[in-house]
């Protein structure tokens, strides 16, 4: 071949070399808008509502608690079974057993000198989930403006999330082939089933901190990018084992709207701030989400493990069923870059996948997942995810390998100092 003939060959190879030779930065992250002031978790003043928790007594029975103080990874709390409550996981029922007036008296007495014997100390690792034992929840997608922008979503949507809630100090498993992503959320429980918006208005409402883990590989393969509201892929991607870590505090505010609007929630990945928002940044508040959910009670478009489901059963949000807020900006997932898409097209053509009936879209998605697995940008074993809120406590999650092993783990107490002194600005 004459030297001059090499020129078009080289011209064709240079773009390919750029596409494959220059990888996307494995450290790249979504930008976040963080508040300048450090988050200092505290207990909601009793004039604004009650903070309840749940533990087990020496006999293994559930014991409802009234939380009176928070110090690092420990709380001071009053065992409500000593003041008229039953041994129950129903914290709304425990409130009724004791009475709001008596709860307020107990809280104030616990703040007075000389009443140290009224409370006991509990670590977060000794608290149970306040989310109950339900395994079907109502999740919300792209309900914060910035998160909608970073995932290129056009609207808020809902889908059913399946799985048992886990306690505030817990683990999540990283399995081969999984692109494990974090999300922090506010969650709401009701003291009754919600079949109408009047039920919502009349119900006692409790708020707690929660997380929502996602397998982005499953979601990337199954999602309908033209219609997120189809529900395709979301239940399967977000219903993995231990994908629903939940807090140890149930806050029952006097004014739920004001509480949610002002409540700040953040995510730390290995001590580094990655999400920071207030509930008031939600596009749809919990009342508006409830209206939307009730209006979408009969569609069976939601598929999970190959079976069609409605968003809720019997046209109502069941008592004990969790309503989730959606998450703010700062997740790990980023849509494929132009370089990743180009690599996908080249791999698709080079491999001859089109001869086997695979679409170009599938080729790009599979190539994107391959790139992300190799980059290890998503959560890996031994990582620590810590969700923190202004008034709803902390959730600490350790990522373990599929053999259950993790080394060099950071506990909730060891992360306390990092969180306390990490400057979000």
């Amino acid at each position: 071949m004459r030297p001059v003939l090499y020129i078009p060959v080289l011209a064709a190879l240079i773009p390919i070399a750029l596409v494959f030779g220059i990888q996307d930065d494995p450290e790249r992250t979504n930008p976040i808008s963080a508040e300048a002031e450090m988050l200092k978790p505290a207990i909601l003043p009793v004039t604004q509502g009650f903070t309840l928790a749940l533990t087990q007594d020496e006999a293994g029975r559930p014991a409802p608690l009234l939380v009176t103080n928070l110090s690092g990874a420990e709380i001071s709390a009053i065992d409500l079974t000593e003041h008229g409550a039953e041994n129950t996981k129903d914290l709304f029922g425990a409130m009724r057993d004791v009475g709001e007036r008596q709860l307020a008296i107990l809280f104030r007495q616990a703040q007075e000198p000389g009443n140290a014997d009224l409370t006991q100390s509990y670590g977060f690792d000794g608290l149970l989930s306040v989310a109950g034992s339900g395994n079907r929840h109502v999740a919300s997608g792209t309900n914060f403006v910035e998160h909608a922008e970073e995932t290129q979503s056009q609207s808020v949507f809902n889908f059913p999330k399946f799985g048992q809630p886990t306690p505030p100090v817990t683990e999540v498993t990283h399995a081969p082939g999984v692109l494990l992503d974090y999300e922090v959320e506010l969650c709401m429980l009701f003291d009754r089933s919600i079949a109408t918006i009047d039920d919502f208005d009349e119900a006692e409402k409790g708020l707690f901190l929660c997380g929502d883990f996602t397998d982005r590989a499953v979601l990337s393969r199954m999602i309908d990018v033209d219609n997120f509201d189809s529900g395709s892929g979301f239940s399967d991607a977000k219903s993995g084992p231990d994908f629903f870590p939940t807090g140890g505090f149930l806050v029952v505010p006097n004014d739920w709207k004001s509480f949610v609007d002002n409540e700040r929630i953040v995510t730390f990945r290995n001590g580094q701030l990655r999400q920071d928002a207030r509930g008031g940044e939600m596009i749809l508040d919990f009342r508006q989400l409830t209206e939307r959910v009730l209006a979408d009670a009969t569609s069976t478009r939601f598929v999970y493990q190959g079976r069609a489901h409605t968003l809720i059963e019997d046209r109502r949000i069941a008592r004990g069923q969790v309503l989730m807020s959606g998450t703010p900006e700062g997740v790990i997932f980023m849509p494929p870059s132009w370089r990743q898409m180009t690599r996908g097209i080249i791999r698709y053509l080079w491999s001859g996948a089109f001869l086997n009936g695979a679409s170009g879209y599938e080729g790009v998605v599979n190539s994107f997942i391959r790139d992300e697995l190799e980059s290890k940008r998503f959560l890996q074993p031994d990582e620590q995810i810590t969700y923190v809120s202004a008034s709803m406590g902390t959730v600490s999650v350790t990522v373990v390998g599929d053999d259950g092993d993790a080394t060099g783990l950071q506990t909730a107490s060891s992360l306390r100092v990092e969180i306390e002194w990490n400057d979000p600005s």
Side-chain angles (χ1 to χ4, degrees):
M1 183 181 293
R2 294 179 182 178
V4 72
L5 296 181
Y6 283 102
I7 296 176
V9 175
L10 290 173
L13 290 177
I14 287 173
I16 295 177
L18 289 174
V19 167
F20 282 90
I22 302 176
Q23 299 296 315
D24 289 281
D25 179 7
E27 301 298 324
R28 71 191 191 282
T29 57
N30 282 307
I32 64 170
S33 301
E35 296 188 22
E37 186 176 350
M38 289 186 294
L39 177 60
K40 297 179 180 179
I43 300 302
L44 191 72
V46 72
T47 53
Q48 298 178 30
F50 300 107
T51 303
L52 306 173
L54 192 63
T55 189
Q56 284 186 334
D57 64 15
E58 294 180 355
R61 299 173 300 180
L65 307 173
L66 174 65
V67 183
T68 60
N69 191 40
L70 170 64
S71 177
E74 288 196 343
I75 65 168
S76 298
I78 299 170
D79 185 343
L80 293 180
T81 62
E82 299 176 359
H83 299 275
E86 297 182 0
N87 289 97
T88 177
K89 292 184 178 180
D90 179 7
L91 293 176
F92 291 114
M95 279 187 61
R96 288 192 296 271
D97 289 342
V98 179
E100 292 188 14
R101 181 174 181 276
Q102 182 62 18
L103 287 173
I105 291 172
L106 289 171
F107 186 95
R108 293 189 176 98
Q109 287 177 341
Q111 315 303 317
E112 297 172 356
N115 286 333
D117 58 344
L118 186 62
T119 64
Q120 300 179 51
S121 295
Y122 303 86
F124 274 97
D125 56 358
L127 300 180
L128 306 178
S129 167
V130 296
S133 57
N135 64 357
R136 179 180 176 135
H137 322 285
V138 182
S140 304
T142 58
N143 194 28
F144 286 72
V145 174
E146 291 85 356
H147 180 56
E149 292 174 352
E150 71 184 4
T151 56
Q152 299 180 1
S153 172
Q154 303 301 313
S155 63
V156 180
F157 58 94
N158 298 105
F159 56 92
K161 177 181 173 72
F162 298 87
Q164 295 279 348
T166 55
V169 178
T170 188
E171 297 177 345
V172 65
T173 300
H174 174 277
V178 168
L179 297 176
L180 189 62
D181 203 350
Y182 54 74
E183 294 182 2
V184 65
E185 305 198 18
L186 296 102
C187 282
M188 179 175 279
L189 278 175
F190 307 97
D191 69 341
R192 66 195 72 188
S193 293
I194 307 297
T196 67
I197 201 63
D198 288 339
D199 291 336
F200 177 94
D201 292 336
E202 295 169 4
E204 197 81 78
K205 304 166 188 68
L207 282 302
F208 62 93
L209 183 66
C210 62
D212 180 19
F213 286 105
T214 308
D215 180 355
R216 296 288 182 180
V218 168
L219 188 56
S220 295
R221 291 189 180 102
M222 297 182 66
I223 192 172
D224 181 349
V225 293
D226 295 320
N227 182 16
F228 286 9
D229 194 49
S230 69
S232 178
F234 284 92
S235 294
D236 286 278
K238 292 174 173 284
S239 300
D242 303 326
F243 274 25
F244 189 33
T246 55
F249 293 174
L250 183 72
V251 177
V252 184
N254 298 337
D255 182 342
W256 73 267
K257 185 70 166 62
S258 176
F259 174 81
V260 169
D261 285 350
N262 289 287
E263 186 68 0
R264 185 177 171 192
I265 55 175
V266 304
T267 298
F268 290 92
R269 180 180 184 179
N270 304 320
Q272 297 298 312
L273 184 68
R274 287 306 310 141
Q275 292 185 285
D276 188 352
R278 293 183 185 265
E281 298 173 38
M282 293 165 62
I283 297 171
L284 301 180
D285 66 23
F286 280 105
R287 191 177 191 275
Q288 292 167 317
L289 285 174
T290 299
E291 287 181 312
R292 174 170 290 202
V293 169
L294 294 176
D296 192 18
T298 58
S299 172
T300 56
R301 69 182 183 279
F302 306 101
V303 177
Y304 173 57
Q305 295 185 344
R307 294 181 54 195
H309 295 268
T310 53
L311 182 57
I312 52 177
E313 296 179 305
D314 300 324
R315 300 189 180 188
R316 66 188 63 221
I317 301 172
R319 189 177 191 275
Q321 190 169 24
V322 176
L323 179 60
M324 304 173 69
S325 68
T327 198
E329 64 180 345
V331 298
I332 301 173
F333 174 79
M334 304 174 78
S337 67
W338 71 266
R339 190 176 287 114
Q340 287 175 317
M341 289 188 286
T342 304
R343 271 200 298 269
I345 293 170
I346 294 172
R347 283 170 175 161
Y348 169 72
L349 296 173
W350 186 262
S351 67
F354 60 92
L355 298 174
N356 298 320
S359 69
Y361 176 81
E362 291 172 323
V364 171
V365 168
N366 289 332
S367 177
F368 166 74
I369 293 170
R370 171 180 166 177
D371 286 347
E372 294 291 5
L373 288 171
E374 291 176 353
S375 75
K376 298 186 182 297
R377 280 198 326 112
F378 285 81
L379 295 177
Q380 303 296 315
D382 290 346
E383 292 203 59
Q384 186 82 21
I385 296 298
T386 308
Y387 303 117
V388 187
S389 62
S391 310
M392 300 182 296
T394 301
V395 177
S396 180
V397 187
T398 300
V399 183
V400 299
D402 60 347
D403 57 0
D405 291 336
T407 58
L409 302 184
Q410 295 172 296
T411 64
S413 58
S414 69
L415 272 174
R416 173 177 60 86
V417 175
E418 292 182 63
I419 292 169
E420 186 174 336
W421 292 104
N422 185 15
D423 185 354
S425 63

